[in-house]
């Protein structure tokens, strides 16, 4: 293979992490090639922000900005600085030697360094009524959407019993009139400290052994039909807001176990860095972050990945031995 076939850096993903990495690498004249995916992980190119309305907590937009518009502007900035974009999904990789290989359904590409920024997809229940009220009362991110006027002093519901659910319920109790947690078992999965936070909050009520059956309302969400899975009875509870906190699925299946991940599939990186267990492969954004999960933190780690990839390329690009046997 001639050097012309080998990219300096390939970036996989299309959210704030991927494009921030691309902006930095493009300005460093590494001519990044970015695969933005085609409905990869069930989400359009642009990532999770394409599934939301107003983003009010991304710096630089005092009046807020719509998620799709923000991603469109970030993408335009990335292209302006020289990022080359392919609207294709990476389906498999070979990280066993350098240059690394990434493959779409039809072609293979090679790179000296690789940045994985494929994000995560919030799990949904696909309840009857969910599509109708998605972003009209139903959300998968309380920290992002909870402060919106439609949720102020209204009854709110969180589904889930993990740390995220407890954190989101505590956060929402500042805004809603009440917060009801629907927990499908008779105990929480969350850490003891998080459990104590919700038990101590007078605005939070927990409905144990309870599952949602249907989202109901008129133009916006008004209530939830729920069932007690022990007794079998159903009732409709008031809900102007419904927040899923039932976990995320990191988009790492295409890596086929070639990068170290935790038991839930999140890529493990060295503390305070984007370095993975494979030298030359970096991971940033929600694909490696199950705690903060915000656009600005994803963008921040995208910057880190770009700088670390650049250092790696400078240090290792001229070492023929490091380029493996792929010639
Ligand atoms: P993502 O945004 O997850 O994007 C990654 C994308 O990469 C995927 O969506 C897909 O298009 C692409 N991809 C995946 N696999 C492949 C592949 N194999 N090949 C090629 N491409 C691939 N955060 C905030 O800060 N403020 C908010 O107001 C806010 N609102 C939100 C509202 C909702 C409903 C949701 C779900 C999230 C919200 N967030 C918000 C969180 C924020 O969207 C995420 O933290 C952020 O988008 C993560 O960015 P990322 O770059 O890591 O990846
Ligand atoms: P978890 O997987 O820990 O919890 C998911 C919750 O959703 C569980 O209570 C689960 O119920 C419930 N659930 C899953 N599927 C359904 C369903 N179909 N219907 C109803 N309920 C459902 O996810 P989290 O996002 O809470 O946490 C992920 C990781 O991130 C954890 O390791 C957590 O500790 C960590 N984290 C840490 C934080 C912190 O330290 N501040 C903050 C947020 C997350 P069941 O228990 O019955 O399976």
């Amino acid at each position: 293979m001639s050097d012309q076939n080998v990219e300096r850096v390939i970036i996989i993903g299309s959210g704030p992490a991927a494009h921030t990495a691309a902006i930095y690498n493009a300005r460093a004249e590494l001519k990044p090639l970015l695969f933005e995916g085609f409905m990869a992980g069930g989400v359009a190119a642009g990532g999770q922000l394409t599934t939301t309305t107003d983003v009010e907590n991304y710096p630089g937009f005092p009046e807020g900005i719509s998620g799709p518009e923000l991603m469109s502007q970030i993408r335009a900035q990335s292209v302006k600085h020289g990022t080359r974009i392919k609207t294709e999904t990476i389906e498999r990789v070979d990280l066993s030697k350098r240059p690394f290989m990434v493959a779409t359904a039809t072609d293979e590409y090679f790179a000296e360094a690789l940045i994985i920024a494929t994000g995560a997809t919030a799990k949904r229940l696909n309840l009857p009524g969910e599509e109708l009220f998605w972003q009209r009362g139903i959300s998968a991110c309380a920290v992002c959407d909870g402060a919106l006027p439609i949720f102020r002093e209204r009854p709110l519901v969180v589904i889930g019993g993990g740390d995220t659910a407890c954190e989101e319920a505590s956060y929402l109790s500042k805004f809603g009139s009440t917060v009801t947690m629907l927990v499908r078992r008779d105990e929480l999965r969350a850490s003891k400290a998080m459990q104590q936070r919700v038990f101590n909050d007078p605005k939070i009520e927990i409905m144990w052994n309870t599952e949602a059956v249907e989202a109901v309302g008129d133009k916006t969400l008004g209530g939830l039909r729920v069932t007690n899975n022990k007794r079998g009875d159903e009732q409709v509870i008031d809900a102007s807001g419904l927040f899923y906190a039932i976990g995320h699925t990191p988009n790492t299946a295409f890596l086929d176990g070639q990068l170290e991940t935790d038991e839930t599939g999140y890529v493990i990186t060295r503390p305070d860095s984007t370095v993975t267990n494979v030298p030359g492969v970096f991971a940033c954004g929600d694909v490696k972050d199950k705690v903060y999960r915000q656009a600005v933190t994803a963008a921040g780690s995208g910057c880190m990945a770009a700088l670390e990839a650049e250092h790696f390329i400078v240090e290792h690009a001229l070492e023929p031995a490091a380029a493996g046997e792929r010639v």
Side-chain angles (χ1 to χ4, degrees), residues 12-17 37 40 44 47-49 57 90 118-119 144 285-286 293-295:
I12 312 174
S14 55
Q48 294 173 65
L49 287 183
N57 52 13
I90 295 300
T118 46
C144 318
D286 283 16
R293 293 175 177 144
Q294 295 297 296

Side-chain angles (χ1 to χ4, degrees), residues 12-18 35-37 40-41 43-49 51-52 54-57 88-90 117-120 122 134-135 139-141 144-145 251 254 284-287 293-296 298:
I12 312 174
S14 55
F35 288 87
E36 66 179 356
V43 179
Q48 294 173 65
L49 287 183
T51 69
T52 192
D54 292 338
V55 177
E56 294 188 329
N57 52 13
E88 290 177 87
T89 298
I90 295 300
T118 46
W134 184 254
Q135 294 300 323
S139 162
C141 183
C144 318
D145 298 334
N251 297 318
F254 72 102
C284 54
D286 283 16
V287 75
R293 293 175 177 144
Q294 295 297 296
V296 71

Side-chain angles (χ1 to χ4, degrees), residues 123 125 159-165 167 182 184-185 187-189 194 211 245-248 263 290-291 293:
K123 290 184 193 161
L125 284 177
I159 301 183
D163 280 326
T164 302
E167 201 165 76
L182 303 188
R184 65 180 173 181
R185 294 187 291 138
E187 62 177 354
L188 297 173
R189 179 182 289 275
M194 294 301 287
E211 295 176 41
I246 58 172
H248 284 69
E263 66 290 350
K290 60 184 182 188
V291 176
R293 293 175 177 144

Side-chain angles (χ1 to χ4, degrees), residues 110-287:
F110 298 89
E112 293 175 39
L114 205 55
I115 294 178
I116 312 290
T118 46
T121 307
K123 290 184 193 161
R124 291 161 66 159
L125 284 177
N126 300 312
L127 296 175
E130 181 177 305
E131 275 310 320
L132 191 58
F133 300 117
W134 184 254
Q135 294 300 323
R136 290 191 178 87
I138 305 183
S139 162
C141 183
V143 177
C144 318
D145 298 334
L148 296 175
I150 57 164
F151 299 125
R152 302 264 171 156
E153 290 305 319
R154 301 279 171 77
L156 307 178
V157 173
V158 174
I159 301 183
D163 280 326
T164 302
C166 291
E167 201 165 76
E168 302 216 329
S170 300
Y171 179 77
L172 290 170
S173 83
K174 287 194 289 237
F175 306 110
S177 53
T178 57
V179 179
T180 304
M181 290 179 72
L182 303 188
V183 178
R184 65 180 173 181
R185 294 187 291 138
D186 58 3
E187 62 177 354
L188 297 173
R189 179 182 289 275
S191 61
K192 288 283 175 264
M194 294 301 287
Q195 296 196 17
Q196 217 45 58
R197 244 166 95 179
V198 302
F199 294 153
N200 290 342
D201 189 325
K203 269 186 166 178
I204 301 177
E205 181 203 357
I206 302 183
M207 292 180 76
W208 302 104
N209 302 306
T210 303
E211 295 176 41
V213 178
E214 183 185 5
V216 296
D218 185 10
K219 290 196 173 81
T220 57
L221 181 73
L224 270 186
R225 186 179 302 283
V226 300
T227 180
N228 181 296
N229 59 25
K230 281 266 159 60
R231 298 192 304 262
D233 54 289
E234 283 191 4
Q235 60 174 308
V236 175
I237 60 170
D238 289 340
S240 298
L242 167 61
F243 296 85
Y244 287 139
I246 58 172
H248 284 69
T249 307
N251 297 318
T252 49
F254 72 102
L255 295 171
D256 197 27
Q258 294 179 63
L259 275 191
E260 194 184 350
T261 62
D262 71 8
E263 66 290 350
T264 49
Y266 284 88
V267 177
I268 294 175
T269 52
R270 201 186 285 165
D272 299 326
S273 117
T274 64
V275 168
T276 70
N277 65 313
V278 176
V281 180
F282 304 87
C284 54
D286 283 16
V287 75

